[in-house]
Amino acid sequence: MNLQNYLRLWSFFAGHKKWIVLSILLSLVLTIMTLVIPTLSANLINEGINKGDTSAIFHYGEQMLIAAIIGCLAFVANTAIAVWAGEYAAHHLRVAEYAKIQTLSHGNIDRFRSSDLLIRLTTDVLTVKNATIQLVLTFPIVPFFLLGTIVLISINMPSILPITFGVLVALALLLLAYLVIVQPKYITKDKRIDEVNHTLREALAGIRVVKAFVRQAHEKEKFGSVAENLRTAATVPQYMLAYITPANTLILYLGITAIYFIGGSQAIAGSGMNIGDVTAAAQYLIFILVPVYLLSIILPLASSADASLVRIFEVLDAVPEIRPPEKPVAVDVGKAQGRVVFDHVSFGYRTADGTAAKPVLSDISFIAEPGQTVGILGATGSGKSTLVSLIPRFYDVTQGRVTIDGVDVRQISLTDLRSIVSICQQEPVLFSGTLRDTVTYGMPGMTDDRMHVIARAADADSFVMNIPDQYDSYVARRGENFSGGQRQRLAIARALARNPKVLILDDSTSACDVVTEAAIQDAIGGLMEKTTRIIIAQRISSVITADRILIMEKGRIIASGNHAELLKTCPEYQEIYSSQLGSVPAAGGAAA
Amino acid sequence: MTDKQGAVRRLIRYLTRYSGKFWAATFLMALFAVFQAILPLIMGTATNDIVAGNMEGLERSVLLLLFFSILMFITGMLGQRIFAAVSQQALCDLRTELFDHMQSLSLNFFDRQPIGQLMSRVTSDIDVIDQFFSNAFQNVMQAVVSIVVITAFMLWLSVRLTILVYAVLVALSIFIWVVSRISKPAFSVLQEHISTLNGYAEEHIEGQKVVLAFMQEGRSVEEFSKVSRDAARAGGKASFTALITLPISITSTNLQSVLLLGIGGVIVVMGRFDLGLLVSFLGLSRGITGPLSHVFMSYSMLMNAIAGAGRVFAILDETPVVADRPGASAMPKVRGDVIFDHVDFAYIPGRTVLLDNSFHAAPGQVFGLCGPTGAGKSTIINILTRYYDIQSGSIAIDGTKIDSVQQDTLRIQIAQVLQEPFLFSDTIMENLRYARAEATDEECIAAAKQAGADGFIMAQPQGYQTFLADGGAGSLSQGQRQMLTIARAMVANPRLLILDEATSNVDTRTEKLIQAGLLQLQQGKTSFIIAHRLATIRHADTILVINKGQIIERGSHAQLMEKQGFYHSMYMSQFRGKLAGITKAA
Ligand SMILES: Nc1ncnc2c1ncn2[C@@H]1O[C@H](COP(=O)(O)OP(=O)(O)OP(=O)(O)O)[C@@H](O)[C@H]1O
Ligand SMILES: Nc1ncnc2c1ncn2[C@@H]1O[C@H](COP(=O)(O)OP(=O)(O)OP(=O)(O)O)[C@@H](O)[C@H]1O
Ligand SMILES: [Mg+2]
Ligand SMILES: [Mg+2]
């Protein structure tokens, strides 16, 4: 375990540390009250009942009552503080982590993996919360109680000190065994739980594929085996605990037996202890068990929380791959032209260990003028999506530079840059919510009129208006209750809503029919005349009217020009053309 | 209430399945509780021996103490071990049963239920059942045994003092009961907030790249912060009400001592009974209050478990909407004669998606489907593979109605490439083999080559053994993922082939490569190909043009072009404006 992590957690309580101090004081009060009650009850018996003194009975009864109530209040108040501290820590860690994740770049996310980030944000925070509650609630009690009991014994009954220490050592050894042997088994169990969750998630997310290939039996077997592993992993620590919990009680009773035997013999012989001492000594031994028992609850929690804190702080300490410029060049977003220039750009994704991998783009140069449409065609995996992701700086170039209106994108503040550039990504991820939320995602508070205009341009308005609830209809997670083409059109509308200076559509109409696609393109042209448009596509028809078409292969631009030019000069383009639209028209015809 | 009892009984049945072990564990744990209750009684007799100066008696008592402590250890250890084994086995059974059942449910079940929610059935709901099994169940059992043993002993000692103890106990119980009632709703509220929180986090971390692109980080953090704060508030309430039971039970024990000593002490002073008896009762009554407060603490756990079990059983009781008829036979080997006869279909009753569709595909034919988005093309595939049952009309393959055979035997003969390319987080090789478990590595590689995917697969760090984290979302291009799903379908070697926009993200030149492979695969098999890129289906024997849920045109490419109808205008629009003229001239 690493104290550093807890110190850092402690720093989250800045400004609220007084509550923790108060909690420690309350623990002290609680300990004193708990220890004082048996003494009072002994007095009640000895001085009240034994001597037949009713007023003494009431006197000590009253004191016991007061002590019990003060102890109860202190305990309840401390519980409130502990719960508050746990939730406070959870909330602040969670929000800090989430905020951090939202600033991370694509490269960071690729390496962290979103599924793993999710665990760090939920399960790990929960572990820290539970540990915090228990730590605040019981940790201060342990030393107080231990000290208090030992002091009491030393004052009242020094003769049982050796037995006390014997019991204490035995219990401590047992606790140590627990921490060393049992605790790691719980970590294994947590891993098995993660496996079960992972298998489950995959099988549910891919249920269509499972059914399509009739692999239920396979999934069943897979789940059966991870569930079986979990069963074993969960049973092992319980088997061990089955020794430890009764062993605690056994040790305690052995101590008590010893006291009865030794103390009892003394009492009968009339030397050393008397009967009152023997019963009191038994009570003290039970008290000794309390701090050990508490530790056996706290320490395992604390050590798993430590592991969780490490994982949480890893996220908090991650450095976004994309650094905002230190001295951003002032750009007037409203007046930006949107002239995009790639100047000898090369790029390669970094591998999981952070080292640079082989280049995906090499030596890319082109210019997209304001108001122009640039089409990008190219083989699967040739780097089209990669290329456009460099414009809004999802990744940074490894060589060369990308400029907008002559300014390197690395020198424009990210807010300005991403207000200028709007991208409709290849895989349209829609969030759950209403259709209105979906379309206006980037521009909350947009007027309905504007929304209709935008949706019409993306050809989404017509089908939306045909649904009973129209823009108030519910969109399920990832938009699963809409057809592929409908999802794409919603995603386009979402991108248009930002009214960008540079609009990027990454294969955004692949699931739309040609008529729809043509309508969308024309509408966008009308709506955003001055916007630079970069359109990635697989269909000739998507780029046929573009001012310039780039043909990509293996990370390079192998040809560029407009449709007519390419048809004349570029064999690859001719091939694509003929395979999609039939034989290439004669050279003369194309020029017409 | 009967509902809750039903849930509890059904839960217990998962334990009693292993009846030998279960009863053995129960017996041992009952013995354990008996010994635990007896030990303070022996301490009492030891005290009496000391008071009486009976050394022999003390020695006997001490030996008994030793003996019973060891017995308690042995029975406790064995009982807990066996019970742990039984309860973990029961949980494992419940998990796998739930999983198997979910898999058997039809797609419309998954349309309704977000994955996150289904996940929490198998995870957090089973967790609360686990807590109930491993804590609450044992606590309650031990408490019952202790209370019975101790009460019997108390009655034997003094009926009147027993009544006094019980009067105090009843008062305290009412108090604890009230508190535990208040705490109940806090947990279900918390459960709701937690699933909202997890849902939000999951969606927005998965879609983080979109959040970033649209610069909604600030808003998203704000929204998350709100959700998180709500969860923290609800969590605070729930934890507080759960934890408060501890101080209350301790205070109850203390209050009980005060009352017993106060009232009892006065009675002793009045000379009604002696001090030794009172002190013994003081110890005994603690032996009851302790376990009793455990029971009350278990109460909220029990409530959680019941709620969780209720949700789990609700899924287990769900019947698949698309079910095999009793005694349905296996689908004979498919030749590929597909007949749609006046088929109507709606996902949601009343909102018709397909209306009165009929067509006939002869074995070996290639059918192309095209039409505007949302027309119902994917839906036709969904009902042909019987993911959903149709409302009226009939679908027959080789003259056998598809709803009269076992669905699995039908689907296993159909290879599909779905519109959404889904890959598992596994190696590329295992993803390919997914289509057919017994396919060899060589067959998978051959299929990948046929699908034109070999090239980029070999360029991956570990070739075919490369692990696709998050289903390849972070490391493959969209088209590459589609190609893997095509290769996967090729591994299947089916009787019927369905491609739903399988090459929409693939460039034409790669597509040509794939199509050469597909052509081989299609030999003699009926295929359905959906595509917006009309070139993909130009060579189909028959093209069905679908609009607004109806087949509005059918025929070969040439026939449809000649007809100058919907298809023709779709086709021509590919050339867009000025260029349309050129091609006509050509
Ligand atoms: N699971 C579902 N639940 C409810 N409605 C659905 C579901 N799936 C699709 N729909 C609706 O059914 C209609 C037909 O959808 P379908 O997916 O068949 O269209 P499609 O022709 O495949 O379109 P695309 O070319 O865009 O993929 C659409 O209006 C769609 O919104
Ligand atoms: N996040 C990533 N990490 C590592 N490699 C990646 C990542 N994304 C893509 N690649 C690889 O980079 C290459 C280019 O991918 P990119 O997505 O740019 O292709 P594309 O031209 O858009 O293809 P498609 O037409 O299929 O969408 C591919 O070989 C792909 O495997
Ligand atoms: Mg791409
Ligand atoms: Mg579809």
Side-chain angles (χ1 to χ4, degrees), chain B residues 142-204:
Chain B
Q142 283 182 20
V144 170
V145 173
S146 311
I147 290 169
V148 169
V149 172
I150 292 176
T151 309
F153 192 72
M154 285 201 297
L155 283 173
W156 180 66
L157 284 179
S158 156
V159 177
R160 271 187 297 171
L161 261 186
T162 313
I163 293 172
L164 177 61
V165 167
Y166 265 82
V168 176
L169 269 183
V170 167
L172 290 175
S173 303
I174 291 173
F175 175 55
I176 303 179
W177 184 72
V178 169
V179 173
S180 61
R181 284 304 288 206
I182 301 170
S183 74
K184 200 188 73 178
F187 272 98
S188 43
V189 173
L190 172 65
Q191 208 65 34
E192 259 165 52
H193 281 287
I194 292 275
S195 40
T196 315
L197 178 86
N198 289 353
Y200 188 91
E202 183 172 356
E203 201 175 340
H204 284 79

Side-chain angles (χ1 to χ4, degrees), chain A residues 428-438 467 472-483 487 490 494, chain B residues 109-115 199 203-204 206 348:
Chain A
V429 177
L430 301 182
F431 295 118
S432 54
T434 63
L435 280 167
R436 176 178 281 105
D437 296 340
T438 307
I467 314 174
D472 295 319
S473 312
Y474 182 69
V475 180
R477 187 171 158 265
R478 312 197 106 234
E480 265 157 6
N481 53 345
F482 288 90
S483 86
R487 271 201 296 270
L490 290 171
R494 183 172 69 180
Chain B
F109 172 78
F110 294 93
D111 288 348
R112 278 187 281 125
Q113 301 255 2
I115 290 175
E203 201 175 340
H204 284 79
E206 213 173 65
I348 301 159

Side-chain angles (χ1 to χ4, degrees), chain B residues 42 53 80 130 146-147 199 220 223 285 305 339 347 358 382 386 473 477 483 541 570 575:
Chain B
I42 302 175
Q80 281 191 28
D130 185 1
S146 311
I147 290 169
S220 144
E223 282 172 0
S285 67
I339 296 177
Y347 287 103
S358 304
N382 280 343
R386 217 177 152 219
S477 85
M483 285 162 76
D541 296 304
M570 272 209 308
F575 300 94

Side-chain angles (χ1 to χ4, degrees), chain B residues 557-584:
Chain B
H557 173 72
Q559 288 167 340
L560 290 174
M561 287 304 282
E562 206 165 301
K563 198 169 169 190
Q564 301 246 332
F566 197 88
Y567 182 84
H568 177 259
S569 65
M570 272 209 308
Y571 191 84
M572 289 323 286
S573 69
Q574 296 187 88
F575 300 94
R576 308 282 298 280
K578 52 183 179 183
L579 290 147
I582 304 170
T583 329
K584 261 184 205 158

Side-chain angles (χ1 to χ4, degrees), chain A residues 112-318:
Chain A
F112 268 122
R113 292 180 191 180
S114 19
S115 44
D116 195 45
L117 281 176
L118 192 64
I119 293 179
R120 292 174 197 237
L121 189 64
T122 53
T123 321
D124 283 330
V125 170
L126 210 65
T127 312
V128 174
K129 175 185 109 173
N130 289 334
T132 308
I133 294 180
Q134 287 301 336
L135 275 176
V136 174
L137 192 58
T138 47
F139 198 64
I141 294 183
V142 172
F144 291 157
F145 220 94
L146 205 58
L147 266 173
T149 315
I150 291 175
V151 166
L152 269 183
I153 295 176
S154 314
I155 293 172
N156 296 339
M157 244 168 273
S159 61
I160 67 158
L161 271 177
I163 297 180
T164 315
F165 279 113
V167 169
L168 202 57
V169 168
L171 290 176
L173 284 178
L174 210 57
L175 181 62
L176 193 69
Y178 177 77
L179 288 178
V180 173
I181 304 172
V182 185
Q183 179 62 15
K185 306 293 180 216
Y186 277 109
I187 295 174
T188 319
K189 180 186 170 187
D190 285 345
K191 280 197 193 119
R192 299 288 167 263
I193 291 179
D194 283 349
E195 277 169 21
V196 165
N197 289 353
H198 175 78
T199 313
L200 180 68
R201 180 179 300 277
E202 289 259 305
L204 293 179
I207 185 74
R208 266 172 172 269
V209 180
V210 176
K211 284 182 182 275
F213 293 109
V214 193
R215 294 302 299 277
Q216 289 96 327
H218 167 77
E219 293 298 332
K220 179 175 172 169
E221 195 182 306
K222 208 156 106 190
F223 187 82
S225 100
V226 290
E228 176 61 26
N229 288 345
L230 171 58
R231 186 186 70 79
T232 322
T235 319
V236 169
Q238 286 200 358
Y239 270 7
M240 296 175 167
L241 270 188
Y243 285 100
I244 289 178
T245 0
N248 270 327
T249 330
L250 179 64
I251 292 173
L252 182 68
Y253 272 106
L254 289 180
I256 290 177
T257 310
I259 284 177
Y260 267 90
F261 186 61
I262 299 168
S265 319
Q266 286 176 1
I268 291 171
S271 63
M273 294 173 116
N274 61 28
I275 172 68
D277 292 343
V278 174
T279 38
Q283 177 64 45
Y284 287 143
L285 272 196
I286 295 176
F287 276 167
I288 281 289
L289 188 63
V290 173
V292 178
Y293 171 73
L294 292 180
L295 276 183
S296 77
I297 294 178
I298 307 169
L299 289 181
L301 276 177
S303 90
S304 20
D306 184 55
S308 292
L309 280 174
V310 169
R311 291 159 52 77
I312 292 171
F313 291 147
E314 235 168 54
V315 175
L316 289 184
D317 293 339

